[in-house]
Amino acid sequence: MRQTTKNILGVAAIVLLSSGVGGYTAYKLLSKERMATATFNELFPQNPASNVKLAGFNAVDAQPVDLTQAAETSIHAVVHIRATQLGRTETVRTAPDFFDFFFGDGRGQQRQIQTQPRVGFGSGVIISKDGYIVTNNHVVEGADEIAVKLNDERELKGRIIGTDESTDLALLKIEGDDFPTIPIGNSDDLKVGEWVLAVGNPFNLNSTVTAGIVSAKARSIGTMSANGKAADIQSFIQTDAAINSGNSGGALVNAKGELVGINAMLYSPTGAYSGYGFAIPTSIMTKVVADLKQYGTVQRAMLGVMCTDLNVGLVVDEENKQVQEIKDKAKELGLKEGLWIREIVEGGSADGFLKVDDVLTAIEGKKIHRFADLQEELAKHRPGDKVKVTVIRDKKEKEITLTLKNQQGNTKVVKDADMELLGAAFRPITDELKEQLNLNYGLEVTGVREGKMKEAGIRRGFIILKVNDMPMRSVDDMETALKEASRSSEPVLFITGKFPSGRVGYYAVNVGQEE
């Protein structure tokens, strides 16, 4: 009996000692609270709000993380946005009837109609005390009037400073001072499984907060979004915090009350929340809105490569023709991820530095697992920035420093956003092409992405000779032609040019803003 009692006491002592060590360790871990990062950049100075408190695990009663302070400190900086497109007179052409073919021009009749005003709703986040607001481009696109309603019921007139369709971001401004703000956090520090809040105005229900976790990072979802539109640059934070119609442009906030993303869309077969939402990370947002404020358009850096995700699980190919090729390459290199470079764009950032069959694995020390990682990393940089690129070449790791260029193949500041509308890159033709095609001048299309050029059918390699009868000798000539056409009553670029084969091509590119 004495021995048994002794054993029990010994076990109790071990349990108490373990509890003491565990309690002490928990205390030490929990006492090391990290300071909330409240800096944005010199363009948007922030004062770390005195009312921002760190949310932590309650070691006494083992309750879940407390999100009440994060909600309280963020809800006042999230605004309701009403974007109105006024009614306007439009000219439409009716379908031709039988008599038009014999007595008319066969194109039908023109008539004027009066469209009704259209109103859309969304959310926005105040990022500076003097009234700069971040929202989604699709919330304010095409708006003639913008009304911003604050959490304290004040309603102010908003104006657009700049928009960026590629990232689906927009920067607005309201007049005033000392507006409530959210400290800007670093989305790179987010971890999968971390608690976040989605703050916005779903279904016009003002000041709504939902909670969830970070489900994934650097997520790309293609064009499958509930609103039918998705950003070209996709490296989303995926969360199961409920995001619904009206949440667009609202805040994704971590447990410290820091802004870590701008809620952009939901992925749903029904158009309503069904499990996951997506937010644009602040790692992309901060650079984009700074460019919009300083330049009016985004200074976008391009690497100038065509590449394939080496992870077979990420391959999107209806007939799976490339899967075996990618598997073979991955097996040959002993890699499970990275970007396999298939083509180098002539005159681009990578030209002369990277090679076909290189596998891109990191930029500035950040691992590149998939294409979305590359997009996110490039979105942080401007043309002219020098970056260190890590590649696997001939089964050996190699680090290369190169200078990033813009879509036009140079490092000049882009001052007009109209060229982004075309979705193409140009350069004066080389002496070799001049001799080959017997030309004195011309602009070669060196790249085409989503935009007006692609819609018109123009492809890479086409040589533009004249636009609206103006000779095209430089990119500046194209910018001039585009500006003049945009200001005219008939905003169309009539393009004449040649293919490298010598065949002549004619295109009409409508550069008018869609209604």
Side-chain angles (χ1 to χ4, degrees):
M1 181 68 178
R2 181 176 298 175
Q3 183 64 36
T4 302
T5 305
K6 189 175 182 180
N7 289 341
I8 292 172
L9 290 173
V11 171
I14 292 172
V15 171
L16 288 171
L17 178 61
S18 300
S19 299
V21 172
Y24 176 74
T25 303
Y27 171 78
K28 293 296 290 182
L29 287 172
L30 292 166
S31 65
K32 295 180 180 179
E33 294 178 335
R34 292 182 300 167
M35 293 297 290
T37 304
T39 58
F40 185 25
N41 56 33
E42 66 275 11
L43 294 175
F44 296 101
Q46 294 277 335
N47 294 321
S50 59
N51 63 337
V52 174
K53 296 181 180 179
L54 301 183
F57 193 88
N58 190 323
V60 177
D61 54 11
Q63 293 299 309
V65 62
D66 182 4
L67 299 172
T68 56
Q69 287 295 327
E72 175 64 24
T73 57
S74 58
I75 201 169
H76 302 293
V78 176
V79 299
H80 179 272
I81 294 175
R82 184 177 73 248
T84 304
Q85 187 178 79
L86 301 176
R88 60 195 68 193
T89 302
E90 294 181 3
T91 301
V92 298
R93 186 179 292 274
T94 59
D97 59 22
F98 176 80
F99 293 101
D100 281 325
F101 286 107
F102 290 96
F103 304 105
D105 58 8
R107 296 187 298 170
Q109 300 296 316
Q110 283 188 341
R111 64 188 183 92
Q112 290 188 328
I113 61 171
Q114 184 69 32
T115 64
Q116 295 298 313
R118 286 184 283 184
V119 181
F121 301 95
S123 305
V125 183
I126 305 175
I127 58 170
S128 66
K129 290 184 176 297
D130 56 349
Y132 281 95
I133 296 171
V134 180
T135 186
N136 289 138
N137 174 65
H138 74 258
V139 170
V140 298
E141 188 174 24
D144 298 304
E145 296 177 350
I146 296 173
V148 177
K149 188 175 184 179
L150 278 63
N151 193 53
D152 62 8
E153 300 297 325
R154 283 183 292 167
E155 188 166 305
L156 303 171
K157 182 179 180 180
R159 59 187 174 91
I160 297 176
I161 300 299
T163 62
D164 182 45
E165 188 174 2
S166 291
T167 54
D168 193 23
L169 288 169
L171 183 64
L172 312 180
K173 180 76 166 64
I174 53 177
E175 297 307 316
D177 199 10
D178 204 26
F179 291 109
T181 64
I182 301 178
I184 311 298
N186 185 356
S187 57
D188 287 345
D189 293 338
L190 275 180
K191 291 180 173 58
V192 173
E194 185 173 337
W195 280 96
V196 286
L197 298 176
V199 187
N201 305 280
F203 308 118
N204 277 331
L205 299 171
N206 289 3
S207 307
T208 298
V209 177
T210 57
I213 62 167
V214 175
S215 306
K217 294 179 64 178
R219 180 71 83 196
S220 176
I221 62 170
T223 59
M224 301 295 289
S225 62
N227 61 12
K229 300 185 68 174
D232 295 329
I233 296 175
Q234 297 190 2
S235 187
F236 294 116
I237 301 166
Q238 179 180 317
T239 176
D240 64 355
I243 293 175
N244 275 298
S245 178
N247 270 115
S248 290
L252 189 72
V253 180
N254 65 15
K256 302 174 189 176
E258 298 171 333
L259 180 70
V260 290
I262 299 296
N263 299 323
M265 60 186 65
L266 58 132
Y267 187 56
S268 167
T270 64
Y273 175 73
S274 61
Y276 294 108
F278 300 88
I280 302 161
T282 53
S283 60
I284 291 177
M285 182 209 80
T286 51
K287 188 262 180 184
V288 168
V289 298
D291 278 0
L292 292 177
K293 183 181 181 184
Q294 188 170 352
Y295 305 107
T297 188
V298 177
Q299 307 302 306
R300 186 157 284 118
M302 304 287 181
L303 190 57
V305 297
M306 305 290 287
C307 52
T308 301
D309 283 309
L310 208 55
N311 186 331
V312 177
L314 299 174
V315 173
V316 179
D317 185 78
E318 292 179 359
E319 299 179 12
N320 287 330
K321 294 178 180 177
Q322 297 179 347
V323 172
Q324 191 58 50
E325 185 183 8
I326 295 171
K327 282 183 176 179
D328 292 343
K329 188 66 177 179
K331 185 177 180 181
E332 174 193 335
L333 297 172
L335 297 173
K336 294 183 179 179
E337 57 190 13
L339 299 181
W340 179 15
I341 296 176
R342 313 300 297 274
E343 185 180 337
I344 304 291
V345 176
E346 189 177 350
S349 308
D351 192 12
F353 296 93
L354 305 184
K355 295 182 179 181
V356 171
D357 282 338
D358 283 350
V359 176
L360 179 64
T361 58
I363 294 182
E364 290 293 285
K366 181 178 178 180
K367 292 290 184 182
I368 302 298
H369 304 285
R370 56 185 70 87
F371 188 67
D373 294 322
L374 175 62
Q375 286 190 311
E376 182 174 353
E377 194 59 31
L378 289 176
K380 302 175 187 177
H381 293 282
R382 295 187 177 97
D385 288 353
K386 292 184 182 296
V387 295
K388 291 181 180 179
V389 176
T390 305
V391 298
I392 303 297
R393 179 182 299 171
D394 300 327
K395 297 185 179 181
K396 296 180 181 178
E397 187 173 274
K398 188 176 182 66
E399 190 174 79
I400 300 166
T401 300
L402 53 81
T403 301
L404 294 174
K405 298 179 181 180
N406 58 26
Q407 195 177 35
Q408 309 305 324
N410 59 55
T411 58
K412 289 168 53 179
V413 171
V414 178
K415 296 182 180 178
D416 200 307
D418 287 342
M419 289 293 281
E420 287 285 311
L421 185 71
L422 296 179
F426 314 94
R427 70 171 181 186
I429 60 173
T430 61
D431 292 337
E432 183 181 345
L433 271 176
K434 286 179 182 178
E435 185 177 345
Q436 176 186 331
L437 299 173
N438 193 26
L439 298 173
N440 294 321
Y441 60 85
L443 279 183
E444 181 184 3
V445 179
T446 58
V448 178
R449 59 178 179 81
E450 293 299 325
K452 297 293 186 179
M453 287 285 190
K454 185 176 181 179
E455 291 172 7
I458 294 175
R459 296 293 179 262
R460 182 170 176 256
F462 184 68
I463 298 165
I464 299 173
L465 298 176
K466 290 186 176 181
V467 176
N468 294 348
D469 291 329
M470 292 173 53
M472 293 291 107
R473 293 183 170 85
S474 68
V475 177
D476 289 340
D477 292 334
M478 176 62 77
E479 291 177 351
T480 300
L482 178 59
K483 288 177 183 178
E484 290 183 2
S486 299
R487 290 193 292 263
S488 70
S489 58
E490 190 176 17
V492 179
L493 299 179
F494 294 101
I495 295 175
T496 306
K498 279 188 176 183
F499 294 92
S501 63
R503 182 169 61 90
V504 177
Y506 302 93
Y507 296 93
V509 180
N510 186 345
V511 294
Q513 296 292 333
E514 296 179 359
E515 299 297 339

